[in-house]
């Protein structure tokens, strides 16, 4: 398993629009999931060991951000023909097993992942209240091993800063994960 780090992103870039089906049977757009104080879009999947290693913290942090007026959405863009564990049926099971507190969307054409420039799972994009990119970094310092004691909650801290000041932190450390499985 080769791990990838996303490239540095152009801050201020507007969030690309999307309209995607979710595990709950509804279709969501960016406007449907955005929060009054900001929005997190995370590209994720069901089978990636990096996602599995952080999913409990991701769920906990999503609850914290939502309580602060920050919207959260997960998008799965992998090729489900090559990776059937990421199929919509498995996504629904994954969402239920982990009690995802946010919509989990299926990007069948992979067009949304390409529009965002997503490269790995998990890959986090934090937007300000106006929908401009203000954070492209990691959840925290945890990877595949147990989280180090006293680890900062990078994504939560960044989004709280964005919600308060409209700007993200100057230093943004990239996420790390498995490559998106392109067709």
């Amino acid at each position: 398993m080769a791990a990838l780090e996303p490239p540095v992103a152009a801050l201020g870039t507007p969030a690309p629009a999307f309209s995607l089906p979710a595990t709950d049977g509804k279709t969501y757009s960016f406007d449907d999931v955005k929060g009054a104080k900001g929005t997190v879009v995370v590209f994720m999947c069901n089978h990636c060991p990096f996602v599995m290693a952080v999913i409990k913290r991701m769920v906990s942090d999503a609850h914290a951000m939502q309580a602060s007026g920050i919207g959260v959405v997960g998008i799965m863009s992998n090729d489900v023909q090559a990776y059937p564990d990421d199929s919509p049926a498995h996504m629904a099971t994954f969402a239920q097993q982990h009690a995802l507190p946010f919509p989990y969307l299926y990007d069948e054409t992979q067009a949304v992942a390409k529009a965002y420039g997503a490269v790995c799972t998990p890959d986090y994009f934090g937007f300000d209240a106006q929908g401009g990119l203000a954070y492209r970094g990691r959840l925290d310092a945890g990877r595949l091993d147990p989280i180090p004691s006293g680890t900062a909650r990078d994504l939560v801290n960044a989004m709280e800063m964005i919600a308060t000041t409209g700007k993200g932190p100057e230093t943004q450390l990239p996420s790390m994960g498995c490559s998106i499985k392109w067709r």
Side-chain angles (χ1 to χ4, degrees):
M1 160 188 58
L4 291 178
E5 287 186 2
V8 175
L11 299 181
T13 302
F18 58 78
S19 179
L20 297 171
T23 57
D24 64 6
K26 299 177 184 173
T27 297
Y28 293 87
S29 68
F30 184 86
D31 287 342
D32 294 328
V33 300
K34 73 179 179 182
K37 296 184 177 181
T39 308
V40 171
V41 176
V42 57
F43 288 86
M44 55 188 280
C45 69
N46 309 330
H47 84 277
C48 172
F50 288 92
V51 172
M52 296 304 296
V54 302
I55 192 64
K56 286 182 184 176
R57 296 192 315 276
M58 187 188 305
V59 166
S60 174
D61 287 355
H63 281 294
M65 290 184 290
Q66 289 168 329
S68 296
I70 298 163
V72 181
V73 65
I75 299 176
M76 201 299 295
S77 299
N78 281 350
D79 175 3
V80 299
Q81 297 303 316
Y83 293 86
D85 285 347
D86 289 331
S87 72
H90 285 101
M91 289 173 62
T93 300
F94 183 89
Q96 185 176 26
Q97 277 180 327
H98 297 286
L100 297 184
F102 50 82
Y104 190 21
L105 314 181
Y106 178 40
D107 178 19
E108 182 176 9
T109 68
Q110 302 181 318
V112 176
K114 289 176 183 172
Y116 276 74
V119 297
C120 64
T121 58
D123 200 349
Y124 304 92
F125 295 79
F127 296 91
D128 61 26
Q130 291 73 42
L133 185 64
Y135 183 76
R136 172 112 185 251
R138 64 188 189 180
L139 180 71
D140 56 38
R143 296 291 191 241
L144 295 174
D145 298 320
I147 187 169
S149 178
T151 296
R153 295 165 71 190
D154 294 7
L155 177 62
V156 170
N157 294 342
M159 292 309 296
E160 287 176 356
M161 175 186 268
I162 292 162
T164 303
T165 69
K167 297 197 183 298
E170 284 189 33
T171 301
Q172 300 185 11
L173 302 172
S175 183
M176 179 181 285
C178 297
S179 65
I180 289 180
K181 308 310 183 208
W182 303 107
R183 282 192 202 96

